[in-house]
Amino acid sequence: MTVEDGEIFGFLGPNGAGKSTTIAILMNYTSPTSGTARVLGLDPQSSIRELHQQIGILPDRYSCYDNLTGYAHLKYAIDVKHSNDDPDKLLDRVGLGDVGAKTVGEYSQGMQQRLAVAMALVGSPELLILDEPFTGLDPEGARLIREIVYTENERGTTVFFSSHVLGQVALVCDRVGVLNAGQIVATGSVDDLRQETGVSDELIFETTDRSKSIDLTLDDIDGILDVSRNGSKIHVKSVRRSNRRSILESIENSGISIETFSVREASVEEIFNSLVGN
Amino acid sequence: MNWKPIAKKEFRAFRRIKTNWILGILLFFYSFNRIVSPEPFIKQVLGGRLAFGAFQQPIGLLIPIAAIVVSYRSIAGQRRSGSIKFDAGFPQTRADILIGKILGQTAALSLPVLGVLLIGGVLGTLIYGGFSLLVFSGFLAATLLYVLLSVAIANGVSALVSQPPRAVGIMLGYLLIFLIMWQNVRNILYSFVTGNELNALNPPPVQWIFLFDRLAPHSSYFLVTNAILGVKNSSSQYFSVIASGESRISTTALIYGGTFSGPPPFYLTPEFGLIIMALWICLIPAIGYLGFRRADLS
C-alpha cells in the first residue's frame, strides 16, 4: 500500500485489524517484526528527528499531560519542533481560545482531542497522521476536523487517517485502504471500491411514458450493473456516483421524460462489510 | 541532541507539585534545631557552615524518597496513559526523552532544596554572622548533583519497566538496600568474604570494605559534602564523623584517618565520591535506556 503525496487517505478496518499497529510502526512507537515501511522516503526507525520534524501526529489512546495548561502543551510542541507558531492562534483554530490557561486535568475528552489536533498542526507538517480523529468528538468537533483536514490538504499536506467511523471517511477521503486481520484487502477511491465489491446504489426514475424503449447507450456508461423497468419506473443499479448525469441524459435522449428521480444509496458500511467479509 | 524542550516541559509540569512543598517543609523542620542549637562540639568544627551543612543528612535521606515519588511514573506511567506518544511523536529520540525528563525533573526538585538552603543561609548569617560563599556554593553544587543522581535513578528504573507498580517495587528495594540497610549489607559482605565479624566501632584496616562503604548513593554524597564542610574523610553523615572525636561517644563511622595513616589511595579520596556519584548518574539511566530504546509504546 502506498499513500501518494498530497492526497487525503483514509485507513479503514474493523477494530483489531491492525490500523493502530501500522501507525505505531510508521511512528516508531513499535518495531516491525518483518517487512519495511518508508515515510516521506525515510526509515521510521533511524531518521526519527528528521522525519518527525515533518509529521504531525494525533495518536490513538493517548492522554495529555494533566498538570500542564493547554497553552503549555502547545509551547512544548512549538519548542520541540523549533517552529514559530503562535500558541494562541492554534488554540483559537481548534476552538479552545478561552481555556488555554486551564490545566488539561480540567478538560473534557473532546477538548483534549482538540488540543491534540492543535499540537499535530504545529510546524505546518508535510504529513498529518490522524489516528481515529473522530473519537470522542461531537458533530461540531467532527466538522472542525474535516475543515482542518481540507485546509491543511489545500496547503499541500498529505493526510493519512485511520477511522472506523465510515461515514466521515467517505466525506473526507480521496482514497481509502481497507485493512482486515493485518492484510490490505482493498485500496482505491470509495467509488472504486463500490465498483470492485458490486455494492450498488439504486437510481429510480419516475416517467410518464411506459412504452418507449431506453436507448442502448445506457450500456456504455461505466458502472451500471442492471437496468429494469417496472411500470412507469426505471430502476438503474450503479456502482459509481460520477455517472449519474450521464444516466439521466441517456434516458432523456431516448425521448423519455422524467418526472421525479430518487436514489437509494448503498452506505460505506455495506461496501466495507462486503470487503471484510461480514 | 534535542532534549531542552522536553526538559522545559517537565520542569513546568513538576515545579509546583505538592511533593516539592512537602519536601521543603520536611527539610526545614528536620534541620531547624541543628542550625539554631547544635551540640557544642559540632558548632566548634562547623561554625557558620551549619547554616547549610545541617541539611546534609535530611537531604541524603529525603531526596531519594522524593525523587521516587516524583519520578516513578515518569516513563512507565506515561507509557500506560499514552502521553508518551506525544513525546515519542515529536522530533526527538528516546535518548532525548530520557535525558530531558531527568534534567527537567531535577530542576523542579531542586527548587525546594534551593529554597531551604537559602533560608538556612539567612538563619545562619543571623546566628553565626556569616560563612564562606565558596563553601556554600560547593555544598549547593554537590547537593544539586545528588538531586540529579536521585532523579536519574528513578527515571532509569521507570524507563526499564513497562508498569508503574513494578517501578515502585524496584525502587522500594533500592531504598531498603542502599539507603536503609547499607551498613548491614556491608557487614554481611565482610563476614562472607573474610569469615570475621566487622566491628565498625574499631574497623579493620581493610581498604576494600572502606570503598564498599562509600558506594551507596547517599554515602558518596556524604563523602563529598564532608570534604566540602571540612569534615574528615568518611562517608557517614557529618554528625557521626565529628562525634567520633569525642571520647564519651562511640560511632560506627568508617573514617579513613581513624584506621589508616598516610594519604589515601585515589579510590578512597573524597574526590572519588564524585566519580561514584557520576557512575550512578550514568549507569542506571543507561540500563533504563536499553529497555526503553526498543520498547513498544503503542
Side-chain angles (χ1 to χ4, degrees), chain B residues 227-263:
Chain B
I228 292 167
L229 293 172
V231 176
K232 285 177 187 161
N233 181 349
S234 170
S235 62
S236 290
Q237 53 143 322
Y238 72 76
F239 186 92
S240 309
V241 182
I242 297 172
S244 72
E246 297 292 297
S247 52
R248 63 196 166 80
I249 305 176
S250 309
T251 77
T252 57
L254 299 190
I255 302 164
Y256 184 83
T259 305
F260 304 97
S261 53

Side-chain angles (χ1 to χ4, degrees), chain A residues 35-267:
Chain A
T36 53
R38 282 276 181 286
V39 183
L40 305 173
L42 297 168
D43 176 358
Q45 282 187 286
S46 59
S47 312
I48 291 168
R49 285 203 199 99
E50 196 186 345
L51 194 49
H52 290 192
Q53 184 63 39
Q54 307 171 63
I55 297 180
I57 172 79
L58 172 71
D60 180 31
R61 280 173 297 154
Y62 64 89
S63 77
C64 296
Y65 311 105
D66 273 357
N67 42 8
L68 283 181
T69 62
Y71 186 91
H73 276 75
L74 290 170
K75 197 90 182 61
Y76 167 45
I78 288 165
D79 273 0
V80 75
K81 284 203 156 172
H82 308 291
S83 99
N84 48 16
D85 285 300
D86 177 352
D88 288 318
K89 277 192 186 144
L90 285 162
L91 286 166
D92 280 341
R93 198 169 162 196
V94 296
L96 295 176
D98 47 349
V99 292
K102 287 189 176 167
T103 58
V104 165
E106 299 175 55
Y107 281 24
S108 69
Q109 198 199 346
M111 288 159 83
Q112 287 203 26
Q113 185 81 343
R114 286 163 183 252
L115 178 61
V117 169
M119 285 165 83
L121 294 177
V122 168
S124 307
E126 276 181 45
L127 170 64
L128 206 49
I129 299 181
L130 310 172
D131 200 354
E132 298 285 358
F134 301 108
T135 305
L137 288 180
D138 51 18
E140 162 89 12
R143 196 178 51 100
L144 177 79
I145 299 274
R146 285 203 306 274
E147 277 171 12
I148 284 174
V149 166
Y150 287 137
T151 313
E152 291 301 297
N153 184 246
E154 270 163 33
R155 205 175 49 73
T157 304
T158 307
V159 184
F160 179 77
F161 71 87
S162 81
S163 183
H164 63 268
V165 186
L166 301 166
Q168 298 286 1
V169 173
L171 280 173
V172 180
C173 291
D174 298 326
R175 284 201 311 143
V176 298
V178 180
L179 189 71
N180 190 35
Q183 300 290 326
I184 296 289
V185 292
T187 53
S189 66
V190 173
D191 257 7
D192 289 342
L193 300 193
R194 201 186 303 278
Q195 190 153 27
E196 192 175 313
T197 54
V199 176
S200 56
D201 291 343
E202 190 167 18
L203 311 168
I204 302 152
F205 300 91
E206 185 85 30
T207 67
T208 49
D209 195 323
R210 296 167 180 237
S211 54
K212 273 186 189 144
S213 65
I214 302 166
D215 196 306
L216 283 173
T217 51
L218 213 50
D219 293 339
D220 302 336
I221 298 171
D222 194 24
I224 291 182
L225 294 184
D226 185 48
V227 181
S228 62
R229 290 190 82 164
N230 178 13
S232 61
K233 288 185 179 126
I234 300 171
H235 295 256
V236 179
K237 284 189 177 168
S238 169
V239 291
R240 282 205 172 281
R241 287 187 175 167
S242 49
N243 60 6
R244 285 186 188 161
R245 194 167 156 192
S246 313
I247 295 170
L248 198 66
E249 283 170 356
S250 184
I251 293 174
E252 285 180 332
N253 288 345
S254 309
I256 299 169
S257 58
I258 294 162
E259 295 218 311
T260 58
F261 158 53
S262 62
V263 183
R264 196 195 63 78
E265 292 195 333
S267 66

Side-chain angles (χ1 to χ4, degrees), chain A residues 24 27-31 45 48-49 52-53 57 59-65 67-68 72 75-77 79-82 116 119, chain B residues 1-2 5-6 8-9 12-14 17 78 81-94 96 294-298:
Chain A
M27 291 304 297
N28 192 41
Y29 291 156
T30 190
S31 309
Q45 282 187 286
I48 291 168
R49 285 203 199 99
H52 290 192
Q53 184 63 39
I57 172 79
D60 180 31
R61 280 173 297 154
Y62 64 89
S63 77
C64 296
Y65 311 105
N67 42 8
L68 283 181
K75 197 90 182 61
Y76 167 45
D79 273 0
V80 75
K81 284 203 156 172
H82 308 291
M119 285 165 83
Chain B
M1 300 300 272
N2 190 20
I6 191 166
K8 264 202 238 166
K9 184 260 286 181
R12 281 197 199 105
F14 283 91
I17 56 173
Q78 291 215 301
S81 75
S83 57
I84 196 86
K85 288 178 188 168
F86 287 115
D87 294 330
F90 286 136
Q92 54 196 353
T93 62
R94 295 197 187 178
D96 293 333
R294 292 262 165 263
D296 187 346
L297 308 182
S298 60

